[in-house]
Amino acid sequence: MKETTSANIGGRVFTLDKDAFERLCSYLSEVRSRITDPTGETMADIESAIADIFSQALSSTMMVVTIQMVEIAIARMGNPDDFGPSRTTTTVTPKAAPQLRRSRTERVIAGVCGGIAQYFKFDPSLVRLVMFLLFLFGGLSLWVYVILWLVIPEQE
């Protein structure tokens, strides 16, 4: 038993099996990526032509469109390359630089050690341990912690 899906193609409702539905969706999205019509009339015409092909192949509205019927329709409509070059271009967006922020999730007092750990990709417990040891043996880390608490903004 195969899973079926109802789809509106060219203003008509058809029942397609899962494989046929997925193949038709990928074909139409590939064609859509190659069409430059801003009004969408071309895609509507293509869907209407596919609906006509399915209507001719089905003797009853209760029949299910199979993958073979979809392949026949695609062969009659043409390869997506026939509709022109693909308009989809991959743009590379620059990766945002990491920002030093006080952590809201990894916090004991104010999130300073958790924020430093996230920024440098360390374990927060390790940063807290170093800060504690500096406090015990240096005495300066308490003031550094308070200054960082005031200077470093909190995560949004």
Side-chain angles (χ1 to χ4, degrees):
M1 191 182 317
K2 273 193 164 182
E3 186 177 331
T4 60
T5 303
S6 294
N8 185 336
I9 304 168
R12 292 181 245 171
V13 178
F14 293 95
T15 303
L16 293 93
D17 70 27
K18 184 179 179 182
D19 298 334
F21 179 76
E22 289 173 358
R23 176 70 174 111
L24 184 62
C25 284
S26 68
Y27 175 76
L28 289 175
S29 66
E30 186 70 26
V31 169
R32 190 174 289 114
S33 73
R34 295 168 187 277
I35 303 240
T36 58
D37 180 19
T39 62
E41 288 182 33
T42 306
M43 275 309 294
D45 290 343
I46 291 169
E47 286 186 18
S48 179
I50 291 172
D52 289 339
I53 293 169
F54 289 161
S55 293
Q56 291 170 1
L58 298 174
S59 60
S60 167
T61 57
M62 300 303 288
M63 291 184 65
V64 177
V65 176
T66 62
I67 187 75
Q68 291 83 10
M69 291 178 192
V70 170
E71 292 298 337
I72 291 169
I74 289 172
R76 286 182 62 186
M77 293 300 297
N79 196 7
D81 295 333
D82 298 340
F83 293 95
S86 180
R87 291 182 297 127
T88 56
T89 58
T90 56
T91 57
V92 177
T93 56
K95 191 174 182 180
Q99 295 181 346
L100 180 59
R101 303 267 185 193
R102 287 186 289 131
S103 176
R104 286 187 157 194
T105 57
E106 291 290 335
R107 71 182 333 159
V108 173
I109 298 174
V112 173
C113 292
I116 291 172
Q118 286 176 350
Y119 183 78
F120 290 109
K121 295 179 177 69
F122 287 124
D123 182 22
S125 301
L126 180 66
V127 177
R128 288 186 191 107
L129 179 65
V130 169
M131 190 67 85
F132 178 73
L133 291 174
L134 287 174
F135 175 74
L136 282 179
F137 297 112
L140 187 62
S141 69
L142 178 64
W143 293 109
V144 171
Y145 189 90
V146 172
I147 291 170
L148 290 175
W149 185 352
L150 297 172
V151 173
I152 299 173
E154 192 171 17
Q155 284 178 337
E156 280 93 30

